[in-house]
Amino acid sequence: MNLHEFYTMGGYAAYVWPAFAVVLGIFGGQWILAKRHRRKIILKIKEVSCDKIIK
């Protein structure tokens, strides 16, 4: 099997490569959302812990 055969996926490349792109887009979106959520949680924890120290 050469590289050209791999990229054409036996004639199914029009279905396979867009599917990979969609999956990578979903994974990337999930990663970004997880980072945002983590940042919000960390800020909330810092806010709550600072409020306890001040009181």
Side-chain angles (χ1 to χ4, degrees):
M1 178 180 346
N2 61 24
L3 203 52
H4 176 70
E5 289 174 355
F6 174 75
Y7 286 126
T8 59
M9 295 283 174
Y12 294 103
Y15 305 104
V16 174
W17 294 117
F20 275 121
V22 168
V23 169
L24 287 176
I26 290 171
F27 284 168
Q30 287 293 323
W31 181 70
I32 290 169
L33 291 174
K35 285 186 66 129
R36 285 183 185 173
H37 187 66
R38 181 179 183 270
R39 189 176 324 137
K40 286 180 183 178
I41 290 174
I42 290 172
L43 290 174
K44 189 77 154 183
I45 290 170
K46 286 180 181 179
E47 180 184 308
V48 169
S49 64
C50 287
D51 288 346
K52 287 183 179 182
I53 292 172
I54 293 173
K55 290 179 182 179

